[in-house]
Amino acid sequence: FKSNLSEYFFHFLKKRYKTPELIAEFSYNILELSRKYQNKCAILKVFYEIWIKYLRLLQTLSEISFF
């Protein structure tokens, strides 16, 4: 199926880890490890930069009030 990175990643985690607690824990660990080792691996650097931009966008959108 066709999806963006966030949808694919979520479906992967949901299929593999089943519970919201395990999904959140694994997601945090992936993000933290990519942050920690981004200077040693170009792929992790790109992954980390994409996710940080995505998280900032989500935060910005959640702060916008349309009413």
Side-chain angles (χ1 to χ4, degrees):
F1 88 39
K2 200 173 189 180
S3 67
N4 61 35
L5 178 60
S6 62
E7 289 172 348
Y8 174 82
F9 190 60
F10 176 73
H11 287 291
F12 165 78
L13 293 175
K14 189 175 175 183
K15 184 176 179 181
R16 180 158 182 166
Y17 294 102
K18 312 284 189 234
T19 68
E21 295 81 15
L22 289 176
I23 291 170
E25 182 180 346
F26 187 80
S27 299
Y28 172 80
N29 289 338
I30 290 291
L31 189 60
E32 184 59 23
L33 287 172
S34 62
R35 181 200 62 78
K36 185 175 180 179
Y37 294 107
Q38 67 177 320
N39 294 327
K40 297 180 181 186
C41 177
I43 293 171
L44 288 178
K45 183 177 179 83
V46 170
F47 182 83
Y48 180 73
E49 289 173 357
I50 289 169
W51 276 103
I52 290 301
K53 287 178 185 177
Y54 179 71
L55 292 173
R56 286 184 182 142
L57 174 63
L58 288 178
Q59 182 179 11
T60 301
L61 291 174
S62 71
E63 294 170 356
I64 295 174
S65 174
F66 293 100
F67 301 102

